[in-house]
Amino acid sequence: MVKALVRGLASSFEHAIKMAPSAEPIIMGQAYKQQEQYVSLLKSLVDQVIELPADNKHPDCCFIEDTAVVVGKSAIIAHIGAAARQGEEAPVADALQGLGFTLSHLKPPATLDGGDVLQLPGSSAILVGLSKRTNQAAVQQMQQFLPSHQVHGVQVAAGLHLKSAVTALDAATLLFSDNVAGRGLSQLLQSLPFMNLPGHEWQHVFVPDPVAANVLLLGKHVVMQEGCQESEQLLQGMCEQRGLVLHKLPRMTEFIKVDGALTCCSILLPS
Ligand code: CIR
């Protein structure tokens, strides 16, 4: 039984952090509608969606993925890399504890955003992006909390998070954004021995639309954002070959304006 945790949209969302100061202003009506579409699609694909209330003091609180990393029955509570976002973690930690997860808390000097954590399907390896938000101390603490996993730090040279540039489509396929960030990560991962074990090689696929390289994987279901025909056709073909069902969500334009991706709007809780 897969559940998902989501968080409401703050009325202050238009003040969310953005990497490009010139990004267009947020249209709140559109943002509410897009989040509603996201949550309603999730509800059709998982057994239960648990919705935590927004905190208007934290404009970015809808990006719940950054607050915690759930691995099996363990929940690692982040220490978010952007000072203005610190404090978003506590209500999520309370909810996860209430759901029976065992909590571990990352402590300074560690900083980590969940968007930098890619759990590789079918593997005990976890990639942690060393980015503007996440540091080596977080990799070390995560490894201590997860002794039966191999936690590897990988440099993220461009973009916000690791998962802004790469996500997994299945246990053998990685989707990279076809840009500097994605190309750089692909090259780096190709050079790492544990990513090239005999009998378990990863296929690297470059997705023309960077937004579409961030997919939400829910068992046999894959969710992508619409907006680029070439990427839609590419993913459609790959999903068909792999027996996966592709769902296309109307583009989350208002979330993209503040560097949000699909995965960042939920935390998936495995059965
Ligand atoms: C931030 O800069 O923290 C937010 N505006 C965007 C966070 C997106 N999170 C994610 O992709 N995991």
Side-chain angles (χ1 to χ4, degrees), residues 13 16-19 60 63-66 80 82 85 88 113-116 133 160-161 163-164 214 255 258-265:
F13 181 59
I17 303 170
K18 48 185 157 191
M19 283 203 298
D60 284 289
F63 300 122
I64 191 170
E65 171 184 54
D66 292 323
I80 297 185
R85 295 192 56 191
E88 290 177 28
D113 285 6
D116 275 317
R133 301 286 178 83
L160 182 59
H161 290 133
K163 278 190 286 188
S164 317
N214 178 281
F255 295 75
V258 289
D259 310 307
L262 261 195
T263 56
C264 59
C265 298

Side-chain angles (χ1 to χ4, degrees), residues 9-250:
L9 196 67
S11 58
S12 54
F13 181 59
E14 53 203 325
H15 303 297
I17 303 170
K18 48 185 157 191
M19 283 203 298
S22 59
E24 285 178 33
I26 292 199
I27 304 163
M28 283 303 283
Q30 285 294 323
Y32 282 116
K33 186 174 159 202
Q34 289 165 4
Q35 204 203 24
E36 214 176 282
Q37 287 167 332
Y38 179 92
V39 172
S40 113
L41 179 59
L42 264 189
K43 283 183 177 163
S44 72
L45 299 177
V46 301
D47 299 299
Q48 192 187 359
V49 177
I50 301 157
E51 302 183 60
L52 303 184
D55 174 356
N56 297 331
K57 290 192 298 305
H58 286 289
D60 284 289
C61 69
C62 61
F63 300 122
I64 191 170
E65 171 184 54
D66 292 323
T67 62
V69 178
V70 171
V71 182
K73 289 308 287 173
S74 303
I76 295 167
I77 308 304
H79 179 225
I80 297 185
R85 295 192 56 191
Q86 287 165 3
E88 290 177 28
E89 303 93 332
V92 182
D94 290 346
L96 288 168
Q97 190 160 38
L99 288 164
F101 289 90
T102 306
L103 306 192
S104 308
H105 292 261
L106 290 170
K107 292 181 187 60
T111 60
L112 176 131
D113 285 6
D116 275 317
V117 181
L118 178 59
Q119 299 186 47
L120 294 171
S123 160
S124 54
I126 298 179
L127 302 181
V128 177
L130 298 168
S131 69
K132 295 176 184 69
R133 301 286 178 83
T134 300
N135 62 18
Q136 184 61 36
V139 175
Q140 281 154 1
Q141 291 184 25
M142 274 198 54
Q143 183 63 82
Q144 282 162 12
F145 296 146
L146 299 168
S148 51
H149 287 73
Q150 293 81 46
V151 182
H152 302 274
V154 289
Q155 205 64 45
V156 179
L160 182 59
H161 290 133
L162 176 69
K163 278 190 286 188
S164 317
V166 56
T167 54
L169 182 65
D170 63 11
T173 316
L174 292 173
L175 301 177
F176 293 89
S177 56
D178 196 357
N179 58 15
V180 179
R183 291 261 165 206
L185 277 163
S186 165
Q187 228 173 15
L188 174 65
L189 296 187
Q190 256 156 9
S191 72
L192 299 176
F194 72 91
M195 291 301 292
N196 293 286
L197 298 174
H200 192 185
E201 289 85 11
W202 290 87
Q203 183 187 354
H204 290 203
V205 176
F206 293 95
V207 183
D209 176 11
V211 165
N214 178 281
V215 296
L216 201 54
L217 188 59
L218 300 156
K220 291 268 163 223
H221 299 276
V222 176
V223 184
M224 75 176 293
Q225 298 195 50
E226 283 174 348
C228 168
Q229 221 184 1
E230 206 185 333
S231 300
E232 288 172 35
Q233 281 169 358
L234 179 70
L235 264 72
Q236 185 66 55
M238 285 194 299
C239 285
E240 279 166 17
Q241 281 167 6
R242 292 162 173 77
L244 300 166
V245 184
L246 182 66
H247 302 264
K248 296 178 205 163
L249 197 63

